């Protein structure tokens, strides 16, 4: 009863605060619904970006990954700060200058309408078949493990997971459908602080228990038990070789933090450039700290459980939570997991609704559609995609290398081809619309073939990202030689927001890059 009460109080409190804060927001306009009325502050942007990124596939999946592989998986997190620096300094000023609602809008300006539509359709498909089902399923694992939904309902675990998936999907849909981006961002901010507080409690309580109420002694014991788990230098046959930092990983990070609609939509809804840059760079600071929540606990799990859960790595983190967390806090932590799941789920739904409404419906179906009807189309789109994701969620069960690794492998299908043409659009003036379209199609086919059609090549999938990027660039230049670029588009200021930069942008950017390098220097060892 105590567990359920604390769960309901935290979840209900977030919902009430969000509703109360939305009373004066005009959700009937496209800017109001899809961009939060261009009114988001730096802290709201940072909290929302963090929670949109960090979800159950991180808490459950990445801790499971570090339980098996150790600190080498930290590369997914700390290198994000460098990508966020680049996004704050280069990409976001250009997006706000153009007054974008979606990233594909830039592709129409730079290339043509067909390229915009192709990318929008690919993004919608990718979110529905990869991210949404994995987020729902990993969240269901966490809630089932902590609450025992199957035992409460008197059903088997599979049915319990199904019920949990439906509940999470329904609640997340309500936020996205009825509240728009601002509801998503506000709820994310509170859940973000809950995630940091609750997430940090787990390793602190675990290390205190191991070190007889001394966190440092506990950490020393965990390190001495398995020093190889603290090594950030992955071998060539490991789950994340160190070489990937210099090949495909940087392309992936640049795309995810600087060009990904789901993430960057928060910055597009900023009051001004100052708040957008502040939000991105604060997110970079959070990403440096977040391994304490989504990597360290997995290594602590190895101290407690050894290799007991190696064949079920996505179940080990909830076992640690139940082991170290007082009963009265389990409900709060379940609410944190629920909040993290809802955040990513409703954020993606809102972004997909934006992409479909603005880039497909308004572009091809009803060019003169009113704001009210476009918002209604967005709501219907969110509802349909939510139902689709709920039914797709169980299909990702039993991922051989864990849910987080599965998510990254699937993301590669879509992220790298899109990143290639976006970077070409910004930096390579000779690339034509035909070159971009051919590279986009080639990139999709190349990665699928190399990953699932030709499985004996022995090349790590992140290295494939780097190879694919270089091939895409070569193809774009080759095709553009025969089909020269006729579009001399130049970015102009449409006056959407104030474009004065945040005065701490450069100092904080230098600091984040320096901290990232220091982290690798401190954890670089040969155990």
């Amino acid at each position: 009863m105590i567990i359920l009460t604390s769960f309901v109080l935290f979840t209900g409190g977030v919902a009430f605060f969000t509703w109360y804060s939305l009373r004066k927001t005009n959700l009937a306009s496209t800017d109001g619904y899809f961009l939060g009325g261009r009114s988001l502050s730096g802290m709201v942007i940072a909290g929302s970006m963090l929670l949109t990124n960090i979800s159950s596939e991180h808490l459950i999946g990445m801790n499971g990954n570090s339980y098996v592989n150790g600190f080498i998986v930290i590369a997914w997190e700390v290198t994000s700060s460098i990508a966020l620096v680049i996004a704050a300094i280069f990409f976001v000023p250009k997006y706000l200058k153009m007054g974008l609602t979606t990233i594909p809008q830039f592709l129409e300006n730079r290339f043509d309408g067909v390229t915009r539509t192709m990318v929008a359709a690919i993004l919608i498909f990718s979110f529905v078949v990869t991210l949404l089902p994995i987020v729902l399923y990993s969240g269901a694992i966490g809630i089932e493990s902590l609450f025992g939904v199957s035992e409460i309902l008197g059903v088997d675990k599979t049915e319990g997971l199904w019920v949990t998936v439906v509940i999470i999907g329904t609640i997340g849909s309500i936020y996205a459908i009825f509240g728009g981006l601002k509801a998503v961002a506000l709820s994310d901010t509170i859940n973000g602080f809950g995630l940091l507080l609750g997430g940090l409690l787990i390793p602190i309580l675990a290390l205190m228990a191991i070190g007889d109420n001394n966190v440092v002694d506990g950490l020393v014991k965990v390190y001495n038990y398995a020093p190889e788990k603290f090594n950030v230098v992955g071998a060539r046959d490991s789950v994340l070789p160190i070489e990937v930092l210099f090949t495909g990983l940087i392309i992936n990070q640049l795309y995810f933090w600087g060009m990904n609609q789901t993430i960057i939509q928060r910055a597009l809804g900023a009051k001004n450039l100052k708040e957008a840059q502040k939000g991105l760079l604060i997110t970079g600071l959070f990403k440096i700290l977040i391994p304490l929540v989504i990597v360290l606990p997995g290594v602590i799990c190895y101290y407690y459980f050894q290799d007991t859960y190696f064949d079920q790595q996505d179940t080990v983190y909830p076992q640690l939570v139940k082991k170290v967390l007082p009963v009265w806090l389990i409900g709060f932590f379940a609410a944190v997991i629920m909040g993290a799941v809802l955040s990513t789920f409703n954020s993606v739904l809102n972004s997909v609704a934006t992409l479909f409404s603005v880039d497909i419906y308004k572009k091809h179906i009803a060019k003169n559609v009113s704001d009210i009807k476009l918002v209604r189309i967005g709501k219907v789109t969110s509802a349909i995609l939510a139902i689709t994701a709920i039914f797709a969620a169980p299909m990702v069960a039993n991922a051989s290398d864990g849910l987080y690794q599965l998510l990254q492998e699937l993301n590669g299908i879509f992220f790298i081809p899109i990143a290639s043409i976006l970077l070409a659009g910004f930096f390579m003036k000779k690339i034509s619309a035909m070159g971009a379209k051919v590279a986009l199609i080639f990139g999709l086919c190349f990665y699928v073939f190399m990953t699932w059609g030709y499985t004996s090549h022995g090349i790590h999938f992140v290295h494939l990202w780097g190879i694919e990027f270089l091939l895409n660039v070569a193809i774009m230049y080759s095709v553009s030689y025969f089909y020269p670029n006729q579009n001399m588009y130049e970015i102009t200021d449409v006056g959407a927001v104030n474009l004065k930069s945040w005065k701490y942008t450069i100092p904080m950017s230098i600091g984040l890059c320096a901290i990232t390098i220091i982290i690798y220097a401190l954890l670089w060892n040969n155990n």
Side-chain angles (χ1 to χ4, degrees), residues 6 60 100 106 133 135 142 146 158 163 221 233 244 292 326 331 337 358 362 372 380 426 446 462 470 482-483 487:
S6 58
I60 307 295
L100 298 184
F106 165 69
V135 167
L146 292 173
T158 302
V163 171
K221 283 186 179 180
V233 184
V244 301
L292 296 174
I337 290 182
V358 175
K362 187 172 183 178
I372 293 175
V380 172
F426 280 116
F446 172 82
V462 179
L470 293 176
F482 296 100
Y483 297 89
N487 185 353

Side-chain angles (χ1 to χ4, degrees), residues 243-261:
E243 295 88 356
V244 301
L245 269 67
F246 310 102
T247 57
L249 186 59
I250 188 62
I251 305 299
N252 177 77
Q253 298 290 47
L254 278 177
Y255 172 79
F256 189 85
W257 294 105
M259 309 174 217
N260 182 355
Q261 180 70 28

Side-chain angles (χ1 to χ4, degrees), residues 381-402:
T381 303
S382 293
I384 293 171
L385 295 178
I387 293 169
T388 304
I390 288 170
F391 279 99
M395 297 179 187
V396 303
N398 304 316
S400 59
D401 292 321

Side-chain angles (χ1 to χ4, degrees), residues 361-498:
Y361 189 86
K362 187 172 183 178
K363 174 72 178 170
H364 297 286
I365 300 173
K367 293 184 178 181
N368 298 317
V369 63
S370 66
D371 273 16
I372 293 175
K373 185 171 182 181
L374 198 62
V375 168
R376 193 183 306 133
I377 292 297
K379 291 179 178 181
V380 172
T381 303
S382 293
I384 293 171
L385 295 178
I387 293 169
T388 304
I390 288 170
F391 279 99
M395 297 179 187
V396 303
N398 304 316
S400 59
D401 292 321
L403 290 172
Y404 188 78
Q405 193 79 354
L406 173 64
L407 176 62
Q408 296 300 341
E409 290 180 11
L410 291 174
N411 280 342
I413 302 173
F414 314 101
F415 283 8
I416 304 304
I418 296 173
S420 301
I421 65 170
L422 279 167
L423 289 170
F426 280 116
F427 296 108
M428 307 169 195
K429 291 190 177 294
K430 290 186 177 181
I431 301 302
S432 66
M434 181 62 74
K437 288 193 280 281
V438 172
L440 184 64
I441 295 169
F442 169 82
L444 293 169
C445 298
F446 172 82
Y447 184 79
V448 170
F449 173 75
M450 291 297 290
T451 304
W452 290 282
Y454 176 51
T455 57
S456 61
H457 54 72
I459 304 172
H460 193 279
F461 72 91
V462 179
H463 288 319
L464 276 179
W465 294 349
I467 294 169
E468 178 187 342
F469 176 75
L470 293 176
L471 290 173
N472 283 347
V473 170
I475 286 170
M476 283 188 284
Y477 272 111
S478 299
V479 174
S480 299
Y481 177 81
F482 296 100
Y483 297 89
N485 182 30
Q486 303 296 327
N487 185 353
M488 296 296 111
Y489 171 72
E490 293 290 339
I491 294 173
T492 56
D493 185 1
V494 300
V497 296
N498 187 312

